[in-house]
Amino acid sequence: MIEAIKKRIKIHFKAIVKYNKVAGLLVFALAPVLLTQFLVALPAVASVGSHLSRHESQRQSNMSQATAAAAAGAKTPQLQEGRTLFDENCSSCHGVDAAGSKLAPGLHGLGAGVVNLWVSSGWMPLANPGAEPARKPALFDLQQTNAISDYVASLSRGGIPILYPNLKGASVTEGFSIFALNCAPCHTITGAGDALSNGLYAPPLHGLTSTQVAEAVRSGPNNMPVFSTGVISKSQLKDLVAYVTKYIEHPDNPGGVGLGGVGPVAEGFIGLFVGVGLCLLVAFWIGDRTEKEEDKGHKKSETGVQHA
Amino acid sequence: MIDAIYNWIDNRLALSKSGRHLLNKIFPDHWSFMIGEIALYSFIVLLISGVFLTLYFVPSEAMTIYHGAYKPLDGMRVSQAYASTINISFGVRGGLFMRQLHHWAANIFVGSIVVHMLRVFFTGAFRRPREANWMIGATLLILAIFNGFLGYSIPDDLVSGTGIRIAFSILESIPFVGTNLAFFLFGGNYPGTDIIPRFFILHVLILPLVILGLLAAHLGMLVKHKHTQFKGRGARNDNVVGSPLWPNYAAKAGGFFFLTTGVTAILAALVQINPIWQYGPYVPYKVSYAVQPDWYMGWLDGALRVMPSWEIHLPGHMIPNVFFPGILLPGVTFTLIYLWPFIESKFITHDYAEHHLLDKPRDNPMRTAIGAAVFAFYFVLFGASSTDVLANYLQVSLNVVLWAFRIACIVVPIVVFPVAYKICLELQHLPEAGKRKRHMIIVRDEEGAYHSVDSEEYPGYVTPELAPVQIEEVDLSPEISALNATATPKDTGVYKIPRD
């Protein structure tokens, strides 16, 4: 009896080995990968939890400190409002009086322009500490944003002010040319934005205000380089801002659906799957149709046909 | 009168006989035999729209100041090629439609050639005696890709200019002769002033002529060899079963021409392609991130991206990295395509006989599996040309996407091969595979018991053994010889053939 079972198992094992070599190899090859993935993921999940709780406790302590030191340097109602908003929304990471903490850098020396850019674009406040700054609807309205910016700027000297470029007499043509030279190498020529190497990316440039564009050019947020007046002069900045705010979305853009401005990838996709695909469907339709009708014809007349 | 003129011409050119022969050509009815026609028809669209564009395009790199409808370019110094293309888009009535029609037709042209080629490959239609026609088809594909690239390049916009730059570097990478060859073709170092005029002549004159000639040869050989067909319905290796060219197939093909043109025109009217006014003119020191070529060059672009940065250092000479994906890969690819009919008969099937009956893909699992694996490889490369777009869309690091494609272009073909092979073997044992299932009808008899009955066959799947309809060939040789015998020198070498 046992002998027979042993024999059976042997046969089955042989069959499994014979027919599932490839599958077996794949499992053995993938198993360590999956295992390591799992092991890596475990502590990561755990650390996120602890990170969050640490952040929460720090936030609590910061808040109490902030209320204790309230109204110390707030001279005008605007600065007072900015200070309140900063303490409530920013100080948990950037520290009291924007001096910085373990979680985020201090903001001294940046000026109102940088703060205005980061807050108005929705980059700040972050979705959670440690998240990548991502474009999202701004948390504050214009007046609140300016209040925060002015408050942070009032804490130190230097940096760039909030910029309001005067677009009167700006040349879009010149702006297009400057854009192609300085911005298109990362943001692409259509301004659609794209992924750069090592996880960096250039965001799309659609729907920006002239203030945001000017501040980004002058301050270089994230991995973007700073373009100082030596590279892009004041009047050139005006032209550039005019192009980016007015024409990057190509208001007079004939020719039909734009396909996202990502170029031939989308076009090829449409050409192959819609163009050639529709033609194939038509071929299928025509070919099929004739087949059926002929069959009907054959049924009527085939009785007389002889086999060759 | 018309009869007399016709007779006069016919006596000299024998139109009636060859014409009747041609009109009686039998086309087997299967939708997949019409794929090549998509290419033919989009080529006609290309020719017509191309003539229109040629009337307005100025193939010159001389600089000019653009003044026109598009504001961000108004007053910019651009080449005449670029200015005239912008003018076609904004200034010429119907110009933008024609440009987009031309470009979409080009995409569909190359696409349908590829699909047609896949059909021919997987059904084994390239086997003896059609090897030469297969090679002509492959040549047509190369020429179509090449001409597409030239056409994409001549508007002299920022994106296509970058493409020319890459093409120049790829040419330069050819060992020993590269620099000379690149300088010869571009008329000196990059960027010269000869590129656009030269590309233009190649694009509108030389390559279309060659394509047209090869197309005629392709179709001529199709008539000569007669059409291949699938088994069944009385089709044998020594006959052709289907509808004659006139009138049945001509009506079908004519309708298909208009529908293909219609699809292209709908795309041209509704979907924007190559909006060069957004790209701006090409200036060698300006570059846009993430430029791609049109899709039919995409696999080459993908290969350039996926290739690790390896170089070969020989004493006194360095073979640069772009040589391998840019020259070696397409070279090997098309050599293999050219030689495939011979490779297959020598190493796989050992079959040198003439074949007029097609295989189903499952009938030759080895060929199908190899074809599927190779196609999968190029499809992955094609996908790799959009690494940046994918990384941006999926919000992951570009490097991750790149490495995923590096691994995929090795792993995917290895996986596809056995899967395709196994599927073929499985399908061989399922005669009903690919056919519509018949309804089951449940019937209740008078005793109350239930029975299931198969419904009637679908009309398309009944395959009665039909004998092929013989088309009478008028044998004129006895009459000609009789005339020869009675001919007098007065007839000046023209023999009158009686006609009823």
Side-chain angles (χ1 to χ4, degrees):
Chain A
M1 178 67 189
I2 291 165
E3 272 308 299
I5 290 171
K6 265 186 184 172
K7 208 173 165 189
R8 275 252 162 261
I9 289 171
K10 225 174 188 175
I11 290 167
H12 278 288
F13 184 71
K14 262 187 185 168
I16 288 166
V17 169
K18 192 176 170 192
Y19 291 112
N20 295 298
K21 255 182 205 159
V22 180
L25 274 176
L26 271 178
V27 169
F28 278 109
L30 286 179
V33 180
L34 292 175
L35 205 65
T36 44
Q37 281 297 314
F38 182 67
L39 289 177
V40 167
L42 265 184
V45 169
S47 74
V48 165
S50 65
H51 188 84
L52 278 176
S53 57
R54 196 171 65 226
H55 158 70
E56 199 54 39
S57 61
Q58 185 151 5
R59 187 184 148 89
Q60 294 292 332
S61 68
N62 276 353
M63 285 298 283
S64 56
Q65 279 174 29
T67 39
K75 284 157 197 151
T76 67
Q78 162 122 352
L79 288 182
Q80 177 61 50
E81 187 196 0
R83 169 164 201 147
T84 314
L85 287 169
F86 185 88
D87 286 345
E88 283 170 1
N89 298 285
C90 319
S91 63
S92 57
C93 296
H94 288 290
V96 180
D97 292 340
S101 75
K102 276 179 193 163
L103 288 169
L107 303 175
H108 291 176
L110 292 178
V114 177
V115 180
N116 179 60
L117 170 66
W118 282 74
V119 175
S120 68
S121 59
W123 281 332
M124 287 290 154
L126 294 173
N128 60 66
E132 286 284 312
R135 190 113 148 244
K136 47 187 184 296
L139 194 62
F140 308 109
D141 63 20
L142 192 66
Q143 197 253 329
Q144 289 172 319
T145 309
N146 287 348
I148 298 172
S149 310
D150 285 345
Y151 165 68
V152 174
S154 74
L155 298 172
S156 64
R157 300 163 138 271
I160 56 166
I162 299 177
L163 297 173
Y164 298 101
N166 177 14
L167 299 188
K168 219 172 192 179
S171 157
V172 207
T173 311
E174 189 60 29
F176 189 18
S177 189
I178 298 163
F179 182 84
L181 182 60
N182 294 292
C183 316
C186 290
H187 291 283
T188 78
I189 189 71
T190 59
D194 210 345
L196 308 172
S197 52
N198 294 318
L200 305 175
Y201 70 98
L205 300 178
H206 295 177
L208 297 177
T209 66
S210 50
T211 300
Q212 287 172 328
V213 176
E215 285 164 355
V217 168
R218 288 293 185 234
S219 69
N222 280 335
N223 48 290
M224 178 169 157
V226 175
F227 295 88
S228 62
T229 43
V231 183
I232 295 177
S233 72
K234 227 173 170 181
S235 78
Q236 282 179 324
L237 179 66
K238 197 169 75 175
D239 299 337
L240 178 63
V241 169
Y243 179 74
V244 174
T245 50
K246 279 188 188 163
Y247 273 96
I248 205 74
E249 286 166 79
H250 304 284
D252 42 355
N253 191 26
V257 182
L259 303 181
V262 291
V265 171
E267 289 165 5
F269 190 80
I270 297 288
L272 282 182
F273 291 94
V274 178
V276 179
L278 274 180
C279 287
L280 288 178
L281 279 181
V282 168
F284 193 71
W285 180 51
I286 295 178
D288 210 30
R289 168 164 295 244
T290 338
E291 229 166 47
K292 278 176 194 161
E293 276 167 11
E294 259 184 15
D295 278 348
K296 280 181 208 154
H298 280 317
K299 269 178 195 161
K300 280 176 199 154
S301 61
E302 88 192 273
T303 40
V305 177
Q306 288 181 333
H307 288 269
Chain B
M1 179 62 192
I2 292 168
D3 270 1
I5 293 171
Y6 181 77
N7 279 343
W8 188 86
I9 296 169
D10 193 29
N11 286 339
R12 281 151 185 82
L13 300 173
L15 284 180
S16 291
K17 189 170 181 244
S18 56
R20 175 45 60 194
H21 180 71
L22 196 67
L23 291 179
N24 280 348
K25 179 181 161 46
I26 298 293
F27 283 90
D29 293 317
H30 194 273
W31 68 273
S32 72
F33 299 158
M34 305 183 79
I35 300 169
E37 283 175 43
I38 303 173
L40 182 64
Y41 302 146
S42 34
F43 186 63
I44 294 170
V45 175
L46 280 172
L47 287 182
I48 295 168
S49 56
V51 168
F52 179 91
L53 295 174
T54 316
L55 299 178
Y56 298 98
F57 181 69
V58 184
S60 164
E61 283 183 58
M63 298 307 269
T64 178
I65 308 283
Y66 171 78
H67 288 294
Y70 193 62
K71 227 180 147 199
L73 289 169
D74 196 24
M76 198 182 273
R77 239 173 88 81
V78 297
S79 68
Q80 289 192 348
Y82 184 74
S84 59
T85 315
I86 292 290
N87 186 43
I88 290 173
S89 310
F90 289 96
V92 177
R93 187 176 293 273
L96 181 60
F97 174 75
M98 278 301 193
R99 254 197 72 216
Q100 300 204 138
L101 185 71
H102 196 69
H103 207 137
W104 281 120
N107 268 357
I108 293 176
F109 179 54
V110 190
S112 53
I113 292 178
V114 171
V115 179
H116 173 60
M117 195 172 196
L118 290 175
R119 196 283 291 174
V120 168
F121 179 87
F122 285 114
T123 56
F126 54 82
R127 288 172 296 178
R128 195 178 160 201
R130 294 181 181 78
E131 303 100 325
N133 220 10
W134 165 262
M135 291 159 96
I136 289 178
T139 316
L140 279 169
L141 175 61
I142 297 175
L143 291 175
I145 290 176
F146 199 59
N147 213 19
F149 173 73
L150 293 178
Y152 179 72
S153 300
I154 53 176
D156 203 24
D157 60 284
L158 186 67
V159 173
S160 70
T162 314
I164 304 179
R165 180 78 191 88
I166 295 169
F168 186 79
S169 304
I170 290 176
L171 270 178
E172 271 190 315
S173 76
I174 300 173
F176 307 111
V177 296
T179 314
N180 292 328
L181 195 65
F183 274 49
F184 171 69
L185 284 176
F186 283 72
N189 203 351
Y190 184 87
T193 50
D194 292 343
I195 300 173
I196 302 295
R198 286 187 182 192
F199 277 18
F200 178 71
I201 290 301
L202 279 172
H203 178 73
V204 303
L205 186 69
I206 297 172
L207 287 186
L209 269 182
V210 179
I211 290 177
L212 213 55
L214 286 176
L215 203 58
H218 200 64
L219 296 177
M221 284 167 99
L222 173 82
V223 174
K224 174 81 188 147
H225 289 143
K226 300 200 170 57
H227 213 293
T228 52
Q229 57 190 347
F230 283 110
K231 280 169 223 155
R233 301 189 185 201
R236 294 192 313 261
N237 210 23
D238 58 354
N239 68 4
V240 189
V241 180
S243 11
L245 176 59
W246 189 263
N248 307 30
Y249 200 76
K252 207 162 147 178
F256 195 32
F257 168 70
F258 289 119
L259 282 164
T260 309
T261 314
V263 166
T264 320
I266 286 173
L267 275 180
L270 298 180
V271 189
Q272 189 183 61
I273 189 162
N274 204 17
I276 57 155
W277 55 91
Q278 295 183 10
Y279 302 157
Y282 182 58
V283 184
Y285 55 82
K286 289 181 183 171
V287 68
S288 166
Y289 183 65
V291 292
Q292 284 102 2
D294 267 357
W295 72 266
Y296 40 84
M297 302 279 283
W299 54 284
L300 279 173
D301 184 42
L304 279 172
R305 292 179 188 218
V306 163
M307 182 73 192
S309 57
W310 296 332
E311 294 170 338
I312 293 182
H313 291 270
L314 303 173
H317 198 85
M318 190 264 282
I319 298 176
N321 175 259
V322 287
F323 173 72
F324 306 104
I327 298 286
L328 199 63
L329 176 78
V332 170
T333 306
F334 281 103
T335 309
L336 283 179
I337 289 177
Y338 274 116
L339 296 180
W340 177 258
F342 311 105
I343 296 173
E344 183 185 284
S345 54
K346 179 130 177 79
F347 297 106
I348 298 174
T349 54
H350 308 290
D351 178 2
Y352 298 93
E354 284 207 358
H355 288 280
H356 301 284
L357 281 181
L358 294 173
D359 285 340
K360 282 184 177 167
R362 72 189 79 155
D363 296 339
N364 194 330
M366 191 47 120
R367 177 206 296 146
T368 304
I370 291 177
V374 171
F375 183 70
F377 174 70
Y378 287 103
F379 197 79
V380 172
L381 285 187
F382 172 60
S385 71
S386 60
T387 43
D388 57 293
V389 178
L390 282 175
N392 196 36
Y393 183 72
L394 302 171
Q395 306 229 324
V396 289
S397 170
L398 182 67
N399 306 43
V400 172
V401 179
L402 184 68
W403 271 102
F405 273 109
R406 279 179 179 167
I407 294 167
C409 74
I410 295 167
V411 169
V412 169
I414 293 175
V415 172
V416 165
F417 180 85
V419 169
Y421 195 85
K422 191 82 182 158
I423 289 175
C424 286
L425 290 185
E426 293 291 329
L427 281 178
Q428 280 178 2
H429 300 287
L430 292 170
E432 71 274 17
K435 293 187 176 172
R436 264 187 265 181
K437 274 189 185 139
R438 289 156 68 180
H439 292 296
M440 286 285 226
I441 299 171
I442 311 288
V443 197
R444 191 181 185 196
D445 60 21
E446 56 264 32
E447 285 170 21
Y450 290 96
H451 304 280
S452 59
V453 188
D454 279 347
S455 66
E456 268 189 57
E457 286 271 12
Y458 282 94
Y461 294 107
V462 192
T463 50
E465 273 301 302
L466 293 179
V469 182
Q470 284 292 325
I471 288 187
E472 282 183 42
E473 291 217 4
V474 189
D475 186 15
L476 294 171
S477 52
E479 284 153 353
I480 293 172
S481 52
L483 274 167
N484 271 343
T486 59
T488 54
K490 229 172 74 183
D491 284 332
T492 62
V494 181
Y495 299 119
K496 184 93 178 152
I497 298 167
R499 190 187 327 279
D500 40 24

